[in-house]
Amino acid sequence: MSFLHVVGFGLKVGHLLLMLCCWIVSVISMNWFINGGIMDTKSGMFCDSGKMWLKWWEKISGNNCMIHHHYYQYIGSKRVPKTWWKKLLMTWVVGWLIVSLSIFWYMSLQANEKRKETLQSMCDERARMLQDQFNVSTNHIQAMSILISTFHHGKKPSAIDQRTFARYTERTAFERPLTSGVAYAVRVLHSERAQFEEQQGWTIKRMDTLEQNPVHKDDYAPEALEPSPIKEEYAPVIFAQDIISHIISIDLLSGKEDRKNILRARASGKGVLTAPFRLLKSNRLGVILTYAVYKRDLPSNATPNERKQATDGYIGGVFDVESLVEKLLQQLASKQTILVNVYDTTNLSHPISMYGSNVSADGLQHVSTLNFGDPFRKHEMHCRFKQKPPWPWLAITTSNGILVIAYLVGYIFHATVNRIAKVEDDYDKMMELKKKAEAADVAKSQFLATVSHEIRTPMNGVLGMLHMLMDTDLDVTQQDYVRTAQASGKALVSLINEVLDQAKIESGRLELDAVQFDLRAILDDVLSLFSGKSQEKGVELAVYISDRVPEMLIGDPGRFRQIITNLMGNSIKFTEKGHIFVTVHLVEEVIGSTEVETSSENTLSGFPVTDRCRSWKGFKAFSQEGSTFPLTPPSDSINLIVSVEDTGAGIPSEAQSRVFTPFMQVGPSISRTHGGTGIGLSISKCLVGLMNGEIGFVSLPKTGSTFTFTAVFTNGCSNPNEYKSHKINNQSNSASTEFQGMTALVVDPRPVRAKVSRYHIQRLGISVEVVSDLNQGWSNISSGNGAIDIVLVEQEVWDRDSHLSSLFINNFKKIDRRTPPKLFLLANFISTSRTSATTSGDNTPSIIMKPLRSSMLAASLQRAMGVGSKGNARNRDLPSLRNLLLGRKILIIDDNNVNLKVAAGALKKYGAEVECADSGSKAVSLLKPPHSFDACFMDIQMPEMDGFEATKLIREMEKHGETSVEAYDNVSNWHVPILAMTADVIQATHEECLKCGMDGYVSKPFEAEQLYREVSRFFQSVPNGNL
Amino acid sequence: MDGMTQLQRQWREHTAYLRKEGYLDDQFEQLQKLQDENSPDFVAEVVSIFFDDSEKLLNNMARALEQKVVDFKQVDAHVHQFKGSSASIGAMRVKNLCIEFRNHCEAQSLEECVRCLRKLQYEYSVLKNQLEYLFRLEQQIRAAGV
């Protein structure tokens, strides 16, 4: 699921970035459009590109929508296809390429714009300056016109002559920065010409020839000029600045440009400019400004004719434009040198260049209009940069930077997506492998279950046959062979059962029973199972169950027994000397107590043992220590803690970690020397787990191991008070009553062992006193209160000092009482007891063999004391089919008469009372409670009503009948044990049997062992009162 | 006394022969073990019930197989019963035949079933003869013993 999150997150981030980019694009394009509107040139091209942009935008936004769509579609699905990612990536790359290009474009445009603005401002500045200076000049010239009118025409005689004019103009030249020279021409009518020429001393000369044949400066000679032809009026120059003194006497009206100028100036009364033309002599481009000088002040609305009449003369200023502009520009020379052209654009189609080279530059230029005060003439200034525009580095770096960043992000995205895809692929692969592995595991378990079952079925046959073979006439060798074969077969079957258990546990099919059982009886059973082996090895075996553990528990006795058997089996396998000690406590007891029993003297056999507290260190139930008390469910739930302590070889520390792993043993040599599959502990662990418990161990090599497990059961005694009052009561209560009220003295220096002995003796209803040695024991006996009936002496004590023992016996004989106390030895090994017997001769007291079990103890006591019936005790000790079935009333249901007869015969032989019926319906009617049957054997395959159906009906009846027969007897719960009889012993059938309420099954021709196994399961727990 | 031992030997030999030939198996021996003072004729009783049952069953089987439409299920039920009772007295060959028979019933092959029935009838008659001979010996032994 986390992958999905990652993918979702990635999508979100991608989406965010995309949105950001789109936003940027939109902002830029908007900006751009606005700018585009301002542009006044090349607008057509911009319009086109704008449309293109719009198209792009549509595409991108459409794509974006699509992405949205996909995004929301895929967020639900598990995997995002690679192709889609590629598309997104492509879109991303292309999109950002476009974005960066547009940024580049935008930025370079901005730069251009700025450049243009600079140019514009510079151009305008220059134009303005030029204009200003020009205006200053014109103003001054105008002032001069007034000067002339005042001092030349207004005074008689004139106050100005050529010399005065030349000096004045020379000295006021700074006032007219742009003029190269000033001249004054007077208006002379033809009638006055002669007088004028005479007065001046020169003739009026004409100019036009000069214009037609421009002369070189050097050759210029005013004297060569022709006299002016006869005209209506003339305008000969009378005053001129020294620079242009050569034009004195020349009739300006004969010059084409000057004439136009003069006429215009005279008519308008304002300063008038000529078109630029080559100046006389200097041959440079220039313009002439002309002002008319009037005789008197004219009103501003005077007609041209009035003006003409009032004209006295004309003052003209020569503007050498080229040099003047150059001078101006030099004043302004700045960093950015620009090219300036000045044009006279009076005639738009043929602008006349006044200044500047015609060097072609790039397209960027700015045009500023110049106003020189003459409305008729129009002038323009064209400015261009000299250099080409620089590369727009900022735009290039910015756009490239953005592109690089975007591509990096894209790459990261790509890499992430690839990574995710790879991880997803890996995950899928893993899942597949996991599935395969699980399937293989299931298959393995199934295979194991099937195969072991298939092996078990014929093995049962083999075992049965071997059992029968034992009964036939065999010689010793043959019997030995058969016994060996049988033992091997049994080992094989038990192994198969273990494997089957393991397989069942692994496939989770193992379920626990919940039946009432007696824990103490089970432990006695297990003890008896191992007693032979322990005696062989000389290992002491003991069980101690705390008094607080209830008599009856509800749980799965079989599985509990399996665990104990497993642990004890292991212990006995690896223990060569010392003891194996099983203790059962309530968990609460153990938590409460802090007893330390690790000192070597304080153990059962005197060998050092491991600290068993450490074996439950890791238990969860203990980790909270005191706090567990309130947590444990009250009343009914019984939390047991069971320890199996041995003084064996111990588990090497390197192997301790895999103790509970199936098929793991300490080393290959172990399985060779001790056998076994190494599966037992793993099964035990599983079983303990099923019982809501935990298992742990502590082990020290060469010292021993202690395995401890906890298990939760339900209290089988409905009433705890009742349990207390019958605390001593156990299943061999026939014996217990006999010993009620007696007192025993145990002589044992070891407290732990004494505790065990006391536990077992107390179970018989005998109160116990413990002393540590014989002397003290003797003083106890002879102290006079005389209540001691039995004296039990630990063999160890007895053998230690034979003298003391014999003394003790002698003393014993001297006791003068009606019933002297009986003396017993608690012996461990047959061999030692024998030796002691030989040494002590006749005085040997009775020997009770360990391990102590209540039934065995009772039997020994009875034998020695002569109370009760011997047989009873022995029967109990060695239960057999006859014992179990004697007097039981059993119903047999089979449609086959022969089978019926045979089964009845077999059961009768074991002492049961048998009743037969041949159909399921009869069984149902016979077993309708109340009835007196103890058990029912039922055939499964029957016509009309088969065994399963009949059983179901019977169980149904029992359930419903409960209320109606409440008053009947004290039987509160009707549950007659029903065993199926079937020819094919298949697991499935067995399970079906259990499912419909049967308690077990037996194969059809009865096999004694199997029959016993099945029958003992429930007849043991049937109360004696039913007998 | 001599006759007695001879009879006993004959009885033993015959029993061994029946075992060896597979007519009887352990179960029969088990039956013999069940016979004691309380039920002296237990085996004979059981076997005579077996004979009665068997003849009935064989007849039923034959009749069922003669039907126009053979109900193999019914035949199978009969054979199952026969198998059960033969297993109970330890008539091994009959039991094994029954197992074979049941397979044919399951396969619903009439031909094989009829063949099996014949074989069964034959085996049954042989077994009956053998057992009757055995019981005769037993009776003689008992008579001699008394």
Side-chain angles (χ1 to χ4, degrees):
Chain A
M1 279 318 278
S2 58
F3 279 100
L4 215 67
H5 286 292
V6 168
V7 170
F9 179 72
L11 274 170
K12 270 179 191 165
V13 167
H15 181 227
L16 211 73
L17 282 171
L18 206 75
M19 288 304 284
L20 198 73
C21 122
C22 287
W23 177 77
I24 287 168
V25 166
S26 72
V27 164
I28 286 171
S29 60
M30 287 277 280
N31 223 336
W32 193 77
F33 279 128
I34 292 162
N35 286 341
I38 293 167
M39 302 279 157
D40 47 4
T41 47
K42 294 183 186 176
S43 58
M45 191 269 249
F46 283 161
C47 273
D48 280 351
S49 63
K51 271 174 201 164
M52 249 166 64
W53 259 108
L54 275 175
K55 257 185 209 168
W56 262 109
W57 179 240
E58 265 167 25
K59 237 181 205 178
I60 287 171
S61 54
N63 222 343
N64 198 19
C65 285
M66 212 170 71
I67 288 163
H68 257 258
H69 179 69
H70 279 280
Y71 169 53
Y72 285 117
Q73 193 181 340
Y74 279 109
I75 202 74
S77 73
K78 267 201 170 176
R79 296 204 50 184
V80 179
K82 275 184 191 168
T83 51
W84 191 80
W85 278 113
K86 276 181 185 158
K87 270 185 203 162
L88 183 68
L89 205 67
M90 281 306 292
T91 323
W92 176 266
V93 166
V94 170
W96 277 102
L97 190 65
I98 288 162
V99 166
S100 70
L101 278 178
S102 64
I103 285 171
F104 171 71
W105 196 353
Y106 173 70
M107 286 189 75
S108 52
L109 268 177
Q110 289 274 43
N112 241 355
E113 197 71 12
K114 209 178 162 194
R115 208 167 123 89
K116 213 172 269 175
E117 264 168 35
T118 320
L119 185 65
Q120 191 185 350
S121 68
M122 282 170 84
C123 202
D124 285 347
E125 192 190 0
R126 274 156 186 72
R128 208 175 55 246
M129 276 184 77
L130 191 63
Q131 205 177 296
D132 285 351
Q133 292 199 1
F134 199 88
N135 285 345
V136 167
S137 304
T138 37
N139 287 347
H140 197 257
I141 287 167
Q142 201 175 356
M144 276 177 78
S145 73
I146 291 158
L147 182 95
I148 286 185
S149 104
T150 315
F151 292 101
H152 181 62
H153 294 290
K155 290 238 171 151
K156 294 282 181 192
S158 163
I160 301 172
D161 60 0
Q162 163 61 25
R163 223 163 44 100
T164 328
F165 186 83
R167 268 180 55 202
Y168 175 76
T169 50
E170 197 64 58
R171 288 173 68 181
T172 56
F174 69 91
E175 293 260 37
R176 307 177 301 275
L178 294 183
T179 51
S180 53
V182 191
Y184 177 67
V186 76
R187 184 179 179 225
V188 178
L189 294 171
H190 187 64
S191 53
E192 298 160 352
R193 180 177 171 170
Q195 187 195 350
F196 176 78
E197 279 182 344
E198 192 186 343
Q199 196 181 338
Q200 293 291 334
W202 36 261
T203 52
I204 298 169
K205 296 183 182 80
R206 60 182 286 186
M207 201 200 274
D208 23 6
T209 47
L210 200 73
E211 281 174 1
Q212 280 156 19
N213 309 307
V215 286
H216 289 283
K217 205 179 171 184
D218 306 333
D219 306 337
Y220 188 78
E223 292 79 22
L225 293 173
E226 287 171 36
S228 174
I230 294 156
K231 283 182 188 171
E232 195 183 332
E233 55 179 316
Y234 310 94
V237 174
I238 52 168
F239 307 134
Q241 214 176 330
D242 281 347
I243 300 172
I244 51 167
S245 57
H246 55 273
I247 60 162
I248 293 177
S249 79
I250 290 171
D251 178 16
L252 290 179
L253 281 174
S254 59
K256 196 175 131 202
E257 287 291 325
D258 293 326
R259 180 187 168 79
K260 264 195 267 173
N261 234 21
I262 287 165
L263 294 181
R264 254 191 329 120
R266 198 171 60 185
S268 64
K270 284 176 183 163
V272 166
L273 283 172
T274 60
F277 62 98
R278 297 273 155 202
L279 294 175
L280 287 176
K281 201 178 171 187
S282 69
N283 204 23
R284 291 167 76 107
L285 265 179
V287 285
I288 292 177
L289 175 76
T290 312
Y291 269 104
V293 178
Y294 300 105
K295 287 177 184 133
R296 57 181 189 276
D297 267 350
L298 287 170
S300 58
N301 56 354
T303 60
N305 217 26
E306 279 171 356
R307 286 180 187 275
K308 189 180 163 186
Q309 293 306 320
T311 304
D312 253 346
Y314 321 97
I315 187 147
V318 179
F319 290 82
D320 184 350
V321 178
E322 249 175 278
S323 63
L324 294 178
V325 172
E326 207 142 324
K327 215 187 282 172
L328 180 76
L329 292 181
Q330 263 160 21
Q331 279 172 29
L332 283 171
S334 61
K335 282 177 280 177
Q336 285 254 9
T337 42
I338 53 171
L339 284 175
V340 177
N341 282 16
V342 183
Y343 293 98
D344 182 317
T345 53
T346 311
N347 186 352
L348 264 177
S349 54
H350 294 288
I352 305 157
S353 171
M354 289 165 75
Y355 171 78
S357 57
N358 260 338
V359 182
S360 63
D362 60 338
L364 189 67
Q365 71 166 1
H366 184 73
V367 180
S368 307
T369 48
L370 292 168
N371 182 13
F372 290 147
D374 181 357
F376 181 70
R377 293 263 162 214
K378 289 197 171 64
H379 296 88
E380 280 179 354
M381 182 183 260
H382 292 199
C383 298
R384 288 168 302 173
F385 281 110
K386 264 182 193 162
Q387 288 118 345
K388 296 225 164 191
W391 284 97
W393 286 117
L394 185 69
I396 289 171
T397 46
T398 309
S399 56
N400 274 337
I402 286 173
L403 199 65
V404 164
I405 289 168
Y407 282 8
L408 275 177
V409 169
Y411 175 74
I412 290 167
F413 217 67
H414 174 73
T416 312
V417 167
N418 273 358
R419 179 85 192 142
I420 287 171
K422 195 172 171 290
V423 168
E424 266 180 354
D425 280 356
D426 285 0
Y427 176 75
D428 283 351
K429 261 184 227 157
M430 297 286 183
M431 283 306 284
E432 211 170 296
L433 287 178
K434 187 177 166 249
K435 263 180 211 153
K436 268 187 201 164
E438 279 170 353
D441 196 47
V442 169
K444 183 209 80 182
S445 294
Q446 276 173 351
F447 171 78
L448 271 180
T450 318
V451 167
S452 17
H453 181 73
E454 291 305 317
I455 296 171
R456 199 163 61 158
T457 315
M459 270 317 287
N460 279 335
V462 171
L463 284 180
M465 288 306 110
L466 285 172
H467 189 81
M468 295 204 169
L469 192 60
M470 293 270 273
D471 291 344
T472 54
D473 277 340
L474 295 174
D475 62 31
V476 183
T477 332
Q478 284 169 330
Q479 268 192 358
D480 184 44
Y481 292 163
V482 174
R483 213 172 290 126
T484 314
Q486 203 173 18
S488 319
K490 273 182 183 156
L492 180 58
V493 169
S494 73
L495 166 65
I496 289 165
N497 282 340
E498 278 187 347
V499 171
L500 196 59
D501 275 350
Q502 178 78 28
K504 261 190 187 172
I505 289 166
E506 276 175 13
S507 54
R509 282 192 301 181
L510 193 80
E511 277 169 17
L512 293 183
D513 279 354
V515 299
Q516 206 178 38
F517 70 98
D518 180 358
L519 179 74
R520 288 169 175 81
I522 283 185
L523 280 173
D524 279 352
D525 260 12
V526 178
L527 219 56
S528 66
L529 196 68
F530 288 107
S531 61
K533 215 166 191 178
S534 69
Q535 278 169 355
E536 238 170 67
K537 280 189 152 184
V539 175
E540 191 169 346
L541 215 57
V543 170
Y544 175 76
I545 300 175
S546 158
D547 289 343
R548 289 179 59 189
V549 176
E551 194 70 28
M552 282 296 172
L553 295 170
I554 293 173
D556 192 329
R559 296 301 178 184
F560 182 74
R561 189 189 163 121
Q562 195 177 352
I563 300 168
I564 296 268
T565 314
N566 252 326
L567 295 179
M568 282 187 79
N570 271 343
S571 291
I572 211 154
K573 219 186 265 178
F574 295 107
T575 307
E576 299 301 329
K577 58 187 191 324
H579 68 265
I580 294 161
F581 185 27
V582 183
T583 52
V584 183
H585 287 95
L586 294 183
V587 167
E588 293 94 294
E589 277 181 272
V590 177
I591 293 178
S593 76
T594 46
E595 54 175 329
V596 182
E597 303 176 23
T598 37
S599 64
S600 64
E601 292 90 56
N602 211 5
T603 63
L604 193 72
S605 60
F607 286 95
V609 295
T610 52
D611 177 9
R612 67 191 155 113
C613 288
R614 278 170 51 205
S615 65
W616 61 66
K617 236 186 196 165
F619 288 7
K620 278 190 213 112
F622 288 70
S623 53
Q624 302 112 327
E625 288 292 332
S627 65
T628 43
F629 280 105
L631 288 180
T632 45
S635 68
D636 260 11
S637 158
I638 301 291
N639 206 347
L640 289 185
I641 179 161
V642 183
S643 288
V644 179
E645 168 190 291
D646 70 47
T647 55
I651 304 164
S653 48
E654 69 268 16
Q656 290 190 1
S657 58
R658 49 195 160 91
V659 156
F660 293 114
T661 319
F663 305 109
M664 277 292 179
Q665 287 187 324
V666 169
S669 61
I670 293 291
S671 56
R672 267 204 303 281
T673 49
H674 298 285
T677 51
I679 204 174
L681 280 174
S682 119
I683 292 174
S684 300
K685 188 180 166 73
C686 292
L687 292 174
V688 167
L690 284 173
M691 292 179 186
N692 298 325
E694 289 161 284
I695 189 164
F697 71 98
V698 59
S699 185
L700 280 177
K702 303 234 168 75
T703 305
S705 319
T706 303
F707 280 82
T708 303
F709 68 92
T710 59
V712 178
F713 295 102
T714 318
N715 196 344
C717 305
S718 45
N719 189 350
N721 294 332
E722 181 193 358
Y723 144 68
K724 247 171 211 164
S725 63
H726 295 285
K727 194 161 95 178
I728 308 304
N729 225 5
N730 66 356
Q731 104 272 21
S732 59
N733 46 10
S734 57
S736 71
T737 48
E738 300 156 14
F739 301 110
Q740 207 79 52
M742 289 186 174
T743 308
L745 182 73
V746 173
V747 181
D748 192 342
R750 288 189 210 288
V752 178
R753 189 165 53 187
K755 198 167 110 186
V756 174
S757 309
R758 185 220 291 262
Y759 154 69
H760 285 288
I761 297 163
Q762 272 182 346
R763 284 172 69 190
L764 298 176
I766 303 168
S767 49
V768 179
E769 283 173 37
V770 177
V771 293
S772 62
D773 62 43
L774 282 174
N775 287 332
Q776 204 184 335
W778 177 243
S779 61
N780 244 20
I781 293 165
S782 55
S783 65
N785 45 16
I788 290 162
D789 305 289
I790 305 157
V791 177
L792 294 131
V793 182
E794 191 61 43
Q795 189 187 19
E796 190 188 310
V797 183
W798 194 258
D799 289 345
R800 197 162 45 199
D801 190 348
S802 54
H803 174 70
L804 196 65
S805 335
S806 50
L807 191 76
F808 191 76
I809 288 183
N810 285 339
N811 280 341
F812 225 80
K813 279 179 181 163
K814 284 180 208 152
I815 293 175
D816 183 28
R817 248 168 53 185
R818 276 171 297 158
T819 49
K822 293 279 178 189
L823 183 60
F824 293 96
L825 277 188
L826 294 171
N828 237 338
F829 323 117
I830 299 160
S831 51
T832 48
S833 68
R834 253 180 217 148
T835 50
S836 85
T838 47
T839 49
S840 318
D842 294 337
N843 298 331
T844 319
S846 315
I847 288 172
I848 297 176
M849 287 302 302
K850 281 186 182 174
L852 292 178
R853 278 169 294 144
S854 67
S855 52
M856 203 260 309
L857 191 64
S860 302
L861 293 179
Q862 276 168 347
R863 211 177 306 135
M865 302 175 78
V867 282
S869 68
K870 245 180 172 181
N872 194 357
R874 194 189 291 145
N875 276 349
R876 213 143 269 295
D877 198 18
L878 304 161
S880 68
L881 263 179
R882 192 173 174 77
N883 255 314
L884 285 172
L885 292 174
L886 189 66
R888 306 272 181 184
K889 199 167 173 199
I890 291 172
L891 179 66
I892 300 178
I893 311 292
D894 198 328
D895 62 319
N896 192 320
N897 285 328
V898 182
N899 291 355
L900 212 53
K901 185 85 187 165
V902 173
L907 291 175
K908 264 182 197 156
K909 198 180 172 223
Y910 294 125
E913 277 179 50
V914 180
E915 202 159 307
C916 298
D918 58 0
S919 76
S921 48
K922 275 184 194 166
V924 173
S925 59
L926 279 168
L927 286 175
K928 187 175 163 77
H931 57 77
S932 55
F933 292 105
D934 291 314
C936 171
F937 285 71
M938 176 124 44
D939 186 26
I940 289 177
Q941 248 183 340
M942 284 185 293
E944 288 164 46
M945 186 188 285
D946 68 9
F948 295 139
E949 208 182 328
T951 309
K952 273 183 206 157
L953 279 173
I954 290 163
R955 292 295 178 232
E956 198 76 7
M957 278 189 330
E958 282 170 348
K959 223 185 275 170
H960 289 299
E962 228 168 274
T963 45
S964 60
V965 287
E966 225 169 339
Y968 187 87
D969 263 5
N970 52 353
V971 188
S972 55
N973 194 4
W974 281 98
H975 183 98
V976 67
I978 298 178
L979 287 173
M981 290 191 292
T982 169
D984 18 42
V985 194
I986 306 171
Q987 189 74 15
T989 325
H990 174 55
E991 267 155 22
E992 206 167 339
C993 288
L994 297 183
K995 210 161 47 183
C996 58
M998 290 183 169
D999 298 86
Y1001 71 95
V1002 289
S1003 58
K1004 211 177 283 175
F1006 289 148
E1007 271 174 36
E1009 273 187 33
Q1010 196 200 7
L1011 187 63
Y1012 171 70
R1013 206 163 53 226
E1014 290 294 323
V1015 166
S1016 63
R1017 275 210 333 214
F1018 48 84
F1019 274 171
Q1020 219 169 25
S1021 56
V1022 167
N1024 287 334
N1026 258 17
L1027 258 170
Chain B
M1 242 4 233
D2 216 26
M4 177 75 167
T5 47
Q6 203 183 346
L7 276 174
Q8 273 175 343
R9 209 191 68 228
Q10 244 176 1
W11 185 85
R12 264 205 307 279
E13 275 172 3
H14 191 67
T15 316
Y17 163 77
L18 289 177
R19 284 292 296 272
K20 207 176 117 202
E21 290 297 311
Y23 287 112
L24 296 174
D25 61 13
D26 288 343
Q27 184 57 30
F28 189 72
E29 210 169 310
Q30 296 278 320
L31 276 186
Q32 284 173 328
K33 276 190 194 158
L34 290 178
Q35 183 167 298
D36 55 10
E37 311 87 56
N38 295 334
S39 50
D41 292 323
F42 179 70
V43 178
E45 269 175 47
V46 171
V47 171
S48 70
I49 296 172
F50 172 68
F51 288 157
D52 291 350
D53 265 15
S54 303
E55 268 148 42
K56 226 185 288 165
L57 284 170
L58 283 171
N59 283 338
N60 288 345
M61 280 183 237
R63 212 172 304 135
L65 285 173
E66 276 162 18
Q67 299 289 318
K68 272 182 194 156
V69 182
V70 179
D71 184 357
F72 282 101
K73 259 196 192 146
Q74 205 196 338
V75 179
D76 187 60
H78 292 314
V79 181
H80 172 65
Q81 274 233 341
F82 199 30
K83 187 189 131 199
S85 48
S86 55
S88 276
I89 67 149
M92 197 159 84
R93 282 170 83 148
V94 175
K95 190 186 84 181
N96 290 343
L97 258 176
C98 284
I99 292 169
E100 196 190 331
F101 201 161
R102 287 194 77 182
N103 287 339
H104 293 313
C105 281
E106 212 169 301
Q108 305 220 334
S109 79
L110 182 61
E111 215 174 295
E112 290 292 318
C113 282
V114 172
R115 197 178 56 79
C116 257
L117 179 64
R118 295 234 178 82
K119 261 166 70 183
L120 207 55
Q121 278 166 336
Y122 168 74
E123 280 297 340
Y124 169 69
S125 61
V126 172
L127 179 74
K128 192 176 176 183
N129 286 336
Q130 298 290 359
L131 286 176
E132 273 170 355
Y133 173 65
L134 199 68
F135 287 140
R136 266 205 303 284
L137 280 177
E138 237 169 82
Q139 270 170 359
Q140 281 171 8
I141 290 168
R142 213 171 293 152
V146 172

